[in-house]
Amino acid sequence: MMQIPPLMHEQYWKACEIIENAEDIKIYSHIDCDGICSGAILSTTLDRQNKTHEIEFVNLDVLDDIELNHELTIFSDLGSGQRVDTNAKKGQKIIILDHHPPLRDLDYNEGKDYTYLEINPMHHGIDGSYYVCGGGLCYFLAKEFGYKDLSWIGVLSAIGDMQNTKTGHFEGLNEIIQQDAIDEGYLEVTKNDINIYGRNTRPLFVALSYFSDVKLPITNNTAETMAILEELGIDEKHNRKTLNELTMEEKGRLFQRLVEMISKVVPGKYVRYIPQLIIGDSYTFLNEDETSFLRDGSEFSTAMNACGRNREEIVAMEVLKGDRIEALDQLEAISKTHRYNLATSISKITENDEANIIEMENLQYFDGTGIKPEIVGTVTGMILGHCNWKKPIIGFTQTDEHGLKVSLRCSRLLSYDGIHFGSIIREISSEVGGTGGGHAMACGAYIPLDKKSEFIERFNEELTGKLTN
């Protein structure tokens, strides 16, 4: 099992020391599941250390040239790719706990008249896309203070950040966090389960119809999924099951059929990756009620993202910090509204997808005008099942009269080609006067409205020769 490198460990000791000696603390964290989990872990840690603090969940576009008005400012799940120390004053302290590609080197803190400590796995040769995320980095800080009971939130952050998508398992530093959560009695992991969303709460024929990494006969087609499940003898017309109700033998039959279907539609070079699209570990949070959507890791992480997309991060954080009454009621209401907004936005794009989804040589895109900037990324991901999976899809929506939010999503198969779309989007958005970044398969940017055509052309050009078409 991978261990925290000694130099990184030293950074954590230094971070503990900075926190112990600080009285005026502000946390900035990202608005997605990973960012909310990061904020919840830090806030709980500071509560237990009797440190009063403020916390604010923000989008990346507010970070460059941010005003620093506190003795200690902690940035979690963001900061490494932004110029957060531009306005740092003498004697101020900055801690960054981020796993995204860093702008600054490990020795950047030398010679500064303020304290600058950046803990980023990439400085230590550890891949931040798959081996640890923001919440995981925050958990290791909490663990230095002795709070191993927060490990389950570290696992949830990694689920939300899709850190297990490459192999279906957690690897690297995530494995340590997972083991801590198991040892503390918070987590049960089912190895090599069928990896379909809604294992507890959706009938299997519905859950299967959302398969979108590759467009299959079952994608967005519940009649086809019902027919296949009945043919396999694992679902009956008058007794619809959820995935959790299937036996291992029934899951085996379903796995074989899915492999057959996918093998027919993917290029030969991808065939060896097919099991990874279907099989993966599933995560059960043992302290949650058996009937609750919080019990399943994927559904819990989706609820966290729903709060972020609707600017209700504090509700999500309160649930993570233990409020299972008022905050949980609010969380359920937010999730319901979120599902409605997504369905409305998706139908708007897909009702005439040939006109609305424009396909170029190496990418495809749609104009999502009217879609809230906070949900355009989720919408883009869900539209994958309606278009050409062999190309990334980009969604645009306006943030104001001068700006665009850009979101990119792609099939997991494209990530096996070694393309890091997060790095590409950061570079191209910068070239057109914007900012961007993110992960290999899911990333985003903010660009000037009048640079949309140039952005698309440059992106399309950059991908020439990199995709398998």
Side-chain angles (χ1 to χ4, degrees), residues 111-122:
K112 302 282 187 289
D113 62 0
Y114 53 90
T115 300
Y116 180 90
L117 175 61
E118 180 173 357
I119 304 180
N120 188 306
M122 298 181 85

Side-chain angles (χ1 to χ4, degrees), residues 18 70 131 191 206 296 306 331 396:
I18 292 169
H70 299 265
Y131 291 164
K191 292 283 184 188
V206 174
D296 175 70
L331 180 66
F396 294 93

Side-chain angles (χ1 to χ4, degrees), residues 182-342:
I182 292 169
D183 293 345
E184 293 288 307
Y186 288 94
L187 179 71
E188 181 179 271
V189 178
T190 303
K191 292 283 184 188
N192 300 315
D193 203 354
I194 289 197
N195 200 5
I196 291 169
Y197 182 83
R199 65 185 67 252
N200 278 326
T201 57
R202 281 179 175 168
L204 180 57
F205 77 90
V206 174
L208 271 177
S209 73
Y210 283 94
F211 191 92
S212 64
D213 271 295
V214 177
K215 196 166 185 180
L216 298 175
I218 60 170
T219 305
N220 304 310
N221 187 343
T222 51
E224 185 67 22
T225 58
M226 282 191 271
I228 285 172
L229 292 172
E230 287 169 25
E231 184 190 322
L232 290 172
I234 58 179
D235 208 13
E236 300 161 18
K237 191 173 285 187
H238 305 295
N239 182 27
R240 297 296 175 192
K241 294 177 183 174
T242 62
L243 180 61
N244 263 357
E245 292 172 303
L246 265 55
T247 64
M248 290 309 290
E249 191 269 334
E250 288 172 331
K251 287 179 181 177
R253 271 184 272 160
L254 178 58
F255 170 75
Q256 288 300 334
R257 177 59 65 90
L258 288 170
V259 169
E260 285 168 21
M261 278 195 280
I262 298 169
S263 298
K264 289 176 182 173
V265 295
V266 302
K269 68 178 242 176
Y270 288 129
V271 168
R272 65 193 175 113
Y273 299 120
I274 290 173
Q276 288 160 231
L277 295 182
I278 309 166
I279 294 292
D281 296 348
S282 63
Y283 309 92
T284 303
F285 292 116
L286 299 173
N287 279 26
E288 304 301 336
D289 190 272
E290 284 199 24
T291 59
S292 171
F293 64 96
L294 302 183
R295 195 165 169 90
D296 175 70
S298 294
E299 294 187 58
F300 200 150
S301 70
T302 298
M304 297 294 97
N305 276 321
C307 288
R309 303 310 173 207
N310 291 280
R311 302 320 314 254
E312 295 281 5
E313 301 91 355
I314 299 299
V315 171
M317 185 179 75
E318 291 303 327
V319 169
L320 291 173
K321 290 176 76 173
D323 184 343
R324 291 293 185 280
I325 302 169
E326 189 178 338
L328 183 55
D329 287 344
Q330 290 175 275
L331 180 66
E332 288 177 336
I334 292 161
S335 296
K336 190 175 180 181
T337 304
H338 183 62
R339 286 193 295 272
Y340 173 79
N341 290 340
L342 289 177

Side-chain angles (χ1 to χ4, degrees), residues 11 22 34 46 81 86 138 144 149 151 221 230 255 278 281 303 326 346 354 360 375 397 405 415 451 453 456 458 460:
Q11 289 185 304
D34 186 17
L46 295 178
T86 305
C138 293
E144 288 295 330
D149 61 307
S151 50
N221 187 343
E230 287 169 25
F255 170 75
I278 309 166
D281 296 348
E326 189 178 338
I346 290 161
E354 284 181 18
M360 299 177 72
I375 67 168
T397 194
K405 168 77 187 289
S415 72
K451 297 288 186 178
S453 297
I456 292 169
R458 285 189 183 217
N460 188 54

